[in-house]
Structures are given as C-alpha cells and as structure tokens.
C-alpha cells in the first residue's frame, strides 16, 4: 500500500515538474517575480526613452536661437558657420546606419547610454569651442550619437511593447516635439539676454565692449551646458536599466515570439524609405520657410508671420500629445490615412488661396496637426507586418534624414530662381499626393505578403502544444490510464 502511495506521489511530482517546465516555456524561463520586474521594466524603459527623446529635441532645436552666439564664439559671421548643419546632418545619417548595425550585436541600454553620454559631452564642450573646424567636428560627433539614439530608441520601443507599441511610440515622438518646443524658451528666456553687439562697440571703449560681448555670448552658451546636463541624466537612466538587467520584449521572448519576416520585406521597407523621405522633407521645409513665405510673398508683418510659424509647430506638438490617446483606440493605418487626407486638403487650400490671410492661418494649423502622427504611426504600422530590426530602422531613419536635407535645400534653391509663385505650397501638395499614393501601395504589398503577426496568446499556445515535453506528458498520462484500466475491472464504470 505504501508503495502504491509512493508511486502516486512520484507520478504527481513528475506531472507537477512537467507542468513547471511547460509554464517556464510559456514565460521564457522566468519566475513570477522576474515577470513582474520585467513588466515594471517596460514602463521604466518607456520613461527613459521619453526622457532621452526630450533631450534629443532640445539638442536639435537649440542651434536656431543661438546661431548668432555660435558665430561670435568662433569669431566668424553667420555665413561662415552655416555648414555646421551639413556636418551634423551627415553625422546623423552615419549614426543611424552605425546604430542599426550595433543594435543587433550590443545591449540596447548600453548602446543608448553611451550615445547619450557622447551627446552630453559634446553639448557641454560647445561653449569651450573657439575654432570653426573644431565646432564642425563636434557637431558631426553629436549628430552621430543622436542618429544612434533615434534608430535605437525606436527599435527598443517596438521590441519592448510589440503589438501594443502604438501609444508608446506616440509618447516617444511627443517628447521629441516637446523638447524642440522647450529648447528656444531655455535659450532665449533664461540665457538669451543679448545686447546689440555693434552698438556696444560704437558707444563704449574697446575693452569694455569686449567684456560686455564676452558676457553676453557666454550667457547664451549656458543653454548648451544646461541641455548637456539634462542629456547626461538621461544617459544615467539607461546605465541603471542596463545594470539592473532589464530586457526588451524581443530579447526576453526570443524563443517563443520570433516574428515572421514578410515575403516582400525589402520592397515594403524601400517604399517606406521614400514615404518618410517625402513626409519629413515636406514637414521641415514648411516649418523652415513658412515665416519667409508669409513675410515676403504674402507681405505680412514679422509678428504675424512669426505667429503662423508658431501655430504650425504648436499644432504639431499638441496633436502628437493627443495622438497618445488616439493610438489606444485607433489603428496606426487609420491614423495615417486620416493624416494624409488632412494633409491633402490643407495643402490644396494653400495652393488655391495662398494670399488669403485667414486660409493661411487655418490651413497652416491643420497642416501642422495632420503631419504630427505620421512618422510614429508609420513605424507602428510596419511592425504589424514585418519585424523592424536595427538595420530596418536605420534605413527608415536615413530616409527621413535625407528628406530633411534635400527637400528644404531644393526649395530654397527654387525660391531664389523663381519669383511670384507659391513654391512652398506646391511642394507641400506634391509631397502629400505622393505619400497618399505610396501608402495604399505599401498596404497592398503588406497584405499580399500575408505576414501579419499573430497575437501573443495564440502564438504561445501553439508553441506550447508543439513542445516535446508536452508530448511526453500526454504519453505518460496515456500510459498511466492504460495501466489503471488493466488493474481496475470497473474502469469503464
């Protein structure tokens, strides 16, 4: 009798051990405490990414309001240092490609922490840079580190949340817009008290004028130090997550949740490359030239032209904040479709009535709001059909960076050659139509590929049923049932 009880206990222990193995396979080999820690780690990862993208927006936007101070700091005029933008853009593209490669072989938290640390050091070193070539090299290094952050941050957010990444991607890019909005405030209101350097030189002695000018530009340069310290804090957050061993969703579930690559993966990525090229190029071109267009073409006052420019970027940032809530109940594809429709309507109105003040105000606000959600929604959309690896994200970020470089330069060149035509509005409408044609083509290609990712529960259930240990467990149960049926004549009863 004791042997039978011991046998039953042993059988129960075996079944319980197999159950533990099955549960461990479903949870990636982690204990419940580790699963809870990882769940909390996902929110900590999102907070660190939003914190870093807030600093990224500050770093990119701070150059505009402090451009004159940078020229004064290196003893050059504005035209002689304008190529620092090209150096930073080239570094940004190189950093995006480098980040896409490193992200597949390094821990993402360590990589992003190092890139943010390099950005912080570069920002704090800018006030100490008094040579124009050194300044250009410094801007290129900062561009490299920011390109790594842009690529790695988007991939880490997608890997962390998977199919639930929509609202978190919107929050990430809203943080970038908020940083770009806050940076001029930090530079101008807190440290931007500058005098008229020429008048100071004329009305004071040479020594006194030099002291006043040095104090003035040094005051504006403090904005770089403050932003650099902020970026340094965000770098520390990534190092803390790295030391705590927080893992992204893609790494933690690599065995059970290998995403299926779409049949036409390369074609989809190539089309999305050109999609982001046109979208980001049109966004940056409109934001860069709407002030000049309003003042020179429509003949508005500078204050009113500046108000239209502020309305565009303000509606852009506000709609990115609103998109965090919309992404919880609206699919990325629907958000992109609605945004492209509004882009076409607003840009068409601007082309038809470019001299109407009311249309310029209303359509600029609508255009800025409709442009806000396209980039983060595009990344969330493509993740539904094919995996976004580090190299894939690098290609997409490079497309956006090239559009940011090429289309504004092309528009500026044409505006200098052709007068009397609203070229800015023509370019906005052309890019809106191009993206509106391209997105349905991408959607059809993705649907034809048939690689839409399965839900996590369905995929884990199917994988669990196919595990060898589960087959052993079922065979063991069958054998035990047969043994009891042979021993007990009343089994069928």
């Amino acid at each position: 009798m004791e042997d039978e009880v011991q046998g039953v206990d042993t059988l129960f222990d075996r079944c319980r051990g197999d159950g533990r193995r099955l549960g461990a396979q479903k949870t990636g080999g982690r204990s419940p405490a580790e699963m809870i820690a990882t769940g909390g780690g996902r929110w900590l990862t999102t907070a660190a990414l939003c914190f870093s993208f807030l600093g990224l927006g500050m770093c990119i936007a701070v150059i505009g309001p402090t451009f004159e101070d940078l020229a004064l700091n290196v003893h050059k005029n504005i035209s002689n240092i304008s190529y620092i933008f090209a150096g930073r853009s080239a570094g940004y593209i190189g950093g995006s490609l480098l980040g896409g490669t490193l992200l597949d072989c390094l821990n993402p938290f360590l990589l992003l922490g190092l890139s943010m640390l390099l950005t912080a050091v570069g920002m704090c070193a800018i006030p100490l840079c008094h040579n124009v070539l050194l300044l250009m090299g410094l801007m290129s290094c900062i561009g490299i580190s920011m390109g790594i952050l842009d690529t790695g941050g988007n991939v880490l957010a997608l890997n962390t949340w998977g199919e639930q990444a929509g609202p978190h991607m919107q929050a990430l890019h809203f943080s970038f817009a908020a940083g770009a909005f806050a940076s001029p405030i930090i530079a101008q209101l807190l440290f931007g008290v500058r005098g008229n350097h020429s008048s100071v030189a004329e009305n004071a002695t040479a020594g006194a004028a030099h002291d006043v000018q040095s104090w003035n530009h040094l005051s504006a340069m403090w904005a770089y130090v403050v932003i650099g310290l902020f970026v340094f804090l965000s770098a520390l957050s990534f190092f803390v997550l790295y030391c705590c061993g927080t893992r992204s969703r893609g790494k933690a579930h690599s065995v059970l949740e290998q995403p299926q690559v779409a049949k036409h993966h390369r074609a989809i990525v190539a089309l999305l490359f050109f999609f982001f090229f046109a979208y980001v190029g049109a966004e940056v071109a409109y934001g860069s030239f709407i002030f000049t267009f309003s003042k020179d073409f429509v003949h508005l006052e500078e204050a009113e032209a500046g108000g239209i420019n502020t309305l565009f970027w303000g509606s852009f940032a506000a709609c990115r904040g609103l998109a965090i809530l919309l992404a919880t109940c609206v699919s990325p594809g629907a958000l992109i479709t609605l945004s492209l429709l509004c882009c076409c309507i607003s840009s068409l109105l601007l082309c038809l009535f470019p001299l109407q003040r009311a249309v310029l105000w209303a359509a600029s606000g609508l255009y800025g709001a409709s442009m806000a959600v396209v980039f983060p929604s595009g990344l969330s959309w493509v993740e539904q059909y094919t995996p976004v690896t580090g190299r894939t994200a690098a290609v997409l970020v490079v497309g956006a960076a090239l559009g940011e470089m090429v289309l504004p330069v092309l528009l500026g060149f044409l505006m200098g050659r052709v007068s009397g035509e609203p070229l800015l509005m023509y370019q906005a409408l052309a890019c809106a139509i191009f993206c509106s044609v391209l997105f349905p083509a991408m959607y059809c290609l993705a649907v034809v590929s048939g690689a839409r990712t399965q839900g996590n529960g369905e995929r884990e259930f199917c994988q669990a049923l196919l595990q060898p240990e589960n087959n052993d467990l079922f065979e063991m149960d069958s054998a035990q049932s047969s043994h009891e049926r042979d021993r007990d004549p009343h089994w069928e009863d």
Side-chain angles (χ1 to χ4, degrees):
M1 183 67 180
E2 293 179 356
D3 294 339
E4 292 180 359
V5 173
Q6 184 178 2
V8 172
D9 292 340
T10 304
L11 176 62
F12 176 76
D13 291 338
R14 290 177 59 190
C15 293
R16 184 171 57 182
D18 289 336
R20 283 200 193 102
R21 286 199 302 271
L22 177 59
Q25 290 166 4
K26 287 185 178 181
T27 59
R30 296 170 296 162
S31 65
E34 291 174 332
M35 291 176 63
I36 295 174
T38 304
R42 286 164 46 165
W43 287 100
L44 292 176
T45 299
T46 302
L49 287 173
C50 291
F51 199 52
S52 63
F53 269 61
L54 188 66
L56 179 64
M58 291 181 180
C59 293
I60 290 180
V62 72
I63 295 182
T66 61
F67 196 51
E68 295 180 1
D69 302 285
L70 285 175
L72 180 64
N73 200 41
V74 295
H75 312 293
K76 298 288 183 178
N77 55 36
I78 294 177
S79 60
N80 290 334
I81 68 165
S82 59
Y83 45 80
I84 65 173
F85 291 104
R88 188 183 67 175
S89 298
Y92 201 94
I93 294 175
S96 300
L97 295 173
L98 180 63
T101 302
L102 295 178
L103 198 62
D104 293 334
C105 56
L106 291 179
N107 184 283
F109 298 104
L110 179 61
L111 178 62
L112 296 182
L114 291 175
S115 67
M116 295 301 292
L117 183 62
L118 178 60
T119 304
V121 172
M123 294 295 291
C124 292
I126 284 179
L128 305 177
C129 183
H130 301 289
N131 183 276
V132 64
L133 294 179
L134 183 60
L135 178 63
M136 183 177 178
L138 200 58
M139 286 294 182
S140 299
C141 293
I142 293 175
I144 291 174
S145 60
M146 290 192 298
I148 294 175
L149 172 64
D150 197 2
T151 300
N154 285 295
V155 173
L156 181 58
L158 291 172
N159 287 341
T160 301
W161 292 100
E163 297 174 0
Q164 304 172 355
H168 306 280
M169 291 295 294
Q170 299 292 346
L172 202 66
H173 290 271
F174 169 72
S175 300
F176 176 84
F181 181 78
S183 184
I185 297 176
I186 296 174
Q188 292 179 348
L189 297 185
L190 298 182
F191 304 106
V193 182
R194 299 194 306 264
N196 189 323
H197 302 308
S198 61
S199 62
V200 171
E202 293 173 359
N203 299 316
T205 60
H210 176 75
D211 293 339
V212 172
Q213 292 179 14
S214 299
W215 169 255
N216 283 331
H217 86 260
L218 180 62
S219 176
M221 290 293 101
W222 272 105
Y224 288 90
V225 178
V226 171
I227 294 175
L229 293 176
F230 182 88
V231 173
F232 176 74
L233 293 177
S234 66
L236 291 181
S237 66
F238 283 115
F239 289 134
V240 170
L241 290 174
Y242 172 71
C243 294
C244 292
T246 303
R247 296 179 295 176
S248 67
R249 174 179 176 272
K251 297 295 182 183
H253 302 274
S254 58
V255 176
L256 296 178
E257 297 187 10
Q258 287 292 342
Q260 181 183 359
V261 178
K263 179 180 179 181
H264 302 291
H265 172 82
R266 292 186 178 180
I268 295 173
V269 172
L271 291 178
L272 198 57
F273 172 92
F274 290 107
F275 181 86
F276 283 153
F277 176 90
Y279 154 73
V280 176
E283 170 198 320
V284 174
Y286 196 90
S288 301
F289 287 96
I290 184 58
F291 177 84
T292 303
F293 177 85
S294 301
K295 186 168 65 71
D296 296 339
F297 190 84
V298 190
H299 305 294
L300 300 180
E301 297 292 334
E302 287 191 5
E304 189 173 2
I308 294 176
N309 193 14
T310 303
L311 175 64
F312 173 78
W313 289 115
S315 62
F316 183 87
C319 195
R320 276 200 168 171
L322 180 62
I324 299 175
L325 301 177
L326 291 177
T328 60
C329 55
V330 182
S331 67
L335 284 176
I336 295 175
T337 303
L338 180 61
S339 298
L340 292 177
L341 178 62
C342 293
C343 282
C344 291
I345 293 174
S346 57
S347 57
L348 180 61
L349 290 175
L350 289 169
C351 288
L352 296 176
F353 310 102
L355 299 178
Q356 297 295 324
R357 183 174 302 179
V359 174
L360 186 61
W361 276 91
S364 294
L366 178 61
Y367 190 68
S370 59
M371 297 285 281
V373 303
V374 176
F375 190 84
S377 297
L379 293 176
S380 300
W381 174 82
V382 73
E383 172 70 10
Q384 294 179 340
Y385 296 95
T386 189
V388 179
T389 62
R391 291 183 175 86
T392 301
V395 171
L396 301 181
V397 173
V398 167
L402 286 176
E404 181 180 351
M405 288 179 58
V406 173
L407 292 189
V409 173
L410 177 63
L411 179 63
F413 175 80
L414 293 176
M415 290 178 67
R417 298 294 188 274
V418 180
S419 59
E421 294 293 336
L423 298 179
L424 175 62
M425 309 311 173
Y426 292 160
Q427 186 190 67
L429 179 61
C431 290
I433 295 175
F434 178 77
C435 292
S436 299
V437 173
L438 206 59
F439 181 68
M442 288 189 296
Y443 182 82
C444 294
L445 199 60
V447 171
V448 169
S449 298
R452 187 177 179 88
T453 56
Q454 294 178 333
N456 294 340
E458 179 184 352
R459 181 167 49 249
E460 290 182 4
F461 179 75
C462 295
Q463 289 288 342
L465 291 179
L466 295 176
Q467 292 298 327
E469 290 83 352
N470 302 339
N471 297 333
D472 295 341
L473 180 60
F474 295 148
E475 292 174 0
M476 180 186 64
D477 290 340
S478 300
Q480 179 65 18
S481 299
S482 300
H483 177 69
E484 292 183 0
R485 192 164 48 245
D486 293 338
R487 293 181 55 187
D488 189 356
H490 302 290
W491 173 265
E492 295 181 358
D493 297 337

